[in-house]
Amino acid sequence: MLDDLNLGVDWQTLDAAHHFHPFTDHKELHEQGVRLITSAEGVYLHDSKGNKIMDGMAGLWCVAAGYGRQELVEAATRQMTKLPYYNAFFKTTTEPTVLLATKLAEIAPEGFEHVFFACSGSEAVDSAIRSARVYWKTIGKPEKRFVIGREYGYHGSTILGASAGGMKDMHRQGGDLPYFAQVLPPYWYGKGGQMSPEEFGLYAARQVEAKIKEIGADKIAAFIGEPIQGAGGVLIPPSTYWPEINRICKENDILLIADEVICGYGRLGTWFGSDYFGIKPDLMTTAKALTSGYLPLSAVFVHDRVAEVLVNETGEYYHGFTYSGHPVSCALALKNIELIESEGLVQAATQKGEVLRAKLTAALGDHPMVGEIRGIGLIGAIELTADKRTRKFFEKNGRVGTICRDFCIENGLIMRAVRDTMVFSPPLIISDAEIDEFVVLAKKSIDQTYEKVKDEVTV
Ligand code: PMP
């Protein structure tokens, strides 16, 4: 059907006329014309002009098992045929929903026996924050409403998600609800000054403590943070950061929400980012790789100490979505988790990540414009800098990153630019040969970028 439609359709004109895109400057898009992705397999995308592009971002950090997995298609098809939809309201449930909740409780860190389902990361964040507030209300502390996050944090695009996050442009366009505050992110490369990473990790964590003092612990419901800040530029906290955050949240009686929407399901070489960093969350939000992006689904993990209150004391919890626990998404997610387990993709993330970073460092470590190559598992970043010895960035932040991103796409590689930081998170099934290709294309693109801006680089 779609193949028939392909013939003679002017996709760019129709898209420009009718499709209002997410996170897009439409004037710019219409001048350039939209790119039409038509098919994909493994780590590669194909567009309507016949280009084959390596997807170094796994879509939007989500296609963990790679494209074209028939097992996932079949699992969804089987469930679609048997029971395409039923909801989880009014004392009902469906088989895949129960099985998935059970499986997730098995792979979660200790103490997470309950899972709430939604459709997107944003809905998961919204649900986690509501759960935190309902928890405090139930135990007689309704004034605990504030949520503290970090600058450059990303927690989704609903009004609440944008308010919880630390993206200034999103705040400016209406994502600025009351009862939210942001503090310094643990971004040593960009913000650490003369401190060592370990000193800076403690310093950044103590900014949370200072904000708690300023607002008053009795008014704060939760702290929310991504184990690694993905959309903010793959900001990897120094080793001292999360243990200190654990302490601060515990001592001040504040719930800790780990936003695992990117880190969850293997990307760091552990099931969850909280496992990697030893984070002790009360709530964990997950989505994306839960279904490898094939269908929308998110899951909020509720720790027993919170679940006990919500389950036993709250009474009816007035919250939920038409598609919470959707049977087809859950059936697909079950198969996806099975693939991640049977193909050892969690362990592969560690091993492949080490290979990728070693090869990137060999190819680009001495490059005059590459200030840092960092990563954990299969998520990472390359800092493009004007002076790597002093960690000085380029004028007009984001300009050089955009040049590099455009060269990448021209060369057949998708990497994303966050300011002048190139970020990547390829599918976990990436092969050794594909890692080699990734490194070649990344180097070529960075070399071409350097040719354009080298007058601005101190060597
Ligand atoms: N939290 C984090 C950490 C994310 O990275 C994202 C999406 N990139 C979200 C929440 C929002 O997820 P969604 O786009 O599915 O609403």
Side-chain angles (χ1 to χ4, degrees), residues 27-333:
K27 227 171 133 192
E28 198 181 277
L29 170 71
H30 297 161
E31 276 161 21
Q32 291 167 3
V34 78
R35 179 187 301 275
L36 183 70
I37 303 298
T38 48
S39 64
E41 85 279 320
V43 300
Y44 293 102
L45 305 168
H46 299 275
D47 72 13
S48 59
K49 293 192 174 139
N51 295 308
K52 182 177 175 189
I53 309 163
M54 178 181 279
D55 186 3
M57 284 303 300
L60 285 174
W61 327 81
C62 51
V63 189
Y67 296 95
R69 302 301 304 251
Q70 280 314 301
E71 305 95 317
L72 300 183
V73 176
E74 281 159 20
T77 308
R78 263 196 310 277
Q79 184 58 40
M80 199 56 118
T81 309
K82 188 176 180 200
L83 177 71
Y85 173 75
Y86 201 72
N87 65 73
F89 289 38
F90 314 132
K91 302 179 179 141
T92 58
T93 193
T94 68
E95 291 157 337
T97 317
V98 180
L99 291 178
L100 182 62
T102 306
K103 182 68 194 172
L104 293 182
E106 182 195 314
I107 62 172
E110 218 188 311
F112 285 96
E113 292 298 329
H114 289 80
V115 178
F116 175 87
F117 290 113
C119 301
S120 64
S122 302
E123 285 179 2
V125 165
D126 194 304
S127 302
I129 290 177
R130 281 193 66 181
S131 298
R133 287 177 173 171
V134 171
Y135 167 85
W136 291 118
K137 272 203 169 152
T138 305
I139 63 169
K141 296 184 177 178
E143 65 286 357
K144 277 173 84 68
R145 300 199 62 192
F146 264 94
V147 176
I148 300 176
R150 284 95 51 91
E151 290 155 23
Y152 297 152
Y154 188 81
H155 301 297
S157 193
T158 56
I159 291 183
L160 183 138
S163 302
M167 301 298 189
K168 289 208 169 64
D169 291 333
M170 296 178 80
H171 291 171
R172 204 164 38 77
Q173 291 184 340
D176 56 354
L177 293 174
Y179 298 107
F180 288 92
Q182 283 83 31
V183 298
L184 181 77
Y187 177 26
W188 175 79
Y189 193 85
K191 309 260 182 197
Q194 299 307 310
M195 282 182 253
S196 71
E198 291 72 26
E199 286 166 349
F200 179 70
L202 285 179
Y203 176 80
R206 286 173 192 161
Q207 300 300 303
V208 177
E209 198 164 35
K211 187 54 88 177
I212 293 170
K213 286 219 170 76
E214 182 192 317
I215 297 171
D218 56 340
K219 295 198 173 52
I220 302 173
F223 169 79
I224 184 166
E226 303 151 73
I228 290 176
Q229 288 177 249
V234 183
L235 313 181
I236 302 178
S239 61
T240 47
Y241 184 77
W242 279 114
E244 188 68 353
I245 293 286
N246 285 338
R247 176 192 71 76
I248 291 166
C249 288
K250 196 154 186 256
E251 279 181 22
N252 289 281
D253 204 16
I254 285 165
L255 296 182
L256 202 171
I257 304 173
D259 186 350
E260 299 257 8
V261 167
I262 287 177
C263 297
Y265 308 109
R267 185 145 295 280
L268 308 194
T270 48
W271 274 114
F272 298 94
S274 292
D275 297 322
Y276 186 91
F277 289 107
I279 306 170
K280 302 280 175 228
D282 297 287
L283 294 143
M284 288 199 312
T285 49
T286 70
K288 295 192 188 276
L290 172 56
T291 58
S292 282
Y294 281 49
L295 282 173
L297 183 67
S298 59
V300 182
F301 291 74
V302 186
H303 196 278
D304 296 350
R305 55 185 169 263
V306 175
E308 265 166 32
V309 171
L310 295 183
V311 172
N312 297 326
E313 296 176 37
T314 298
E316 180 163 351
Y317 182 17
Y318 296 97
H319 178 65
F321 305 103
T322 299
Y323 306 113
S324 284
H326 194 290
V328 180
S329 298
C330 288
L332 188 149

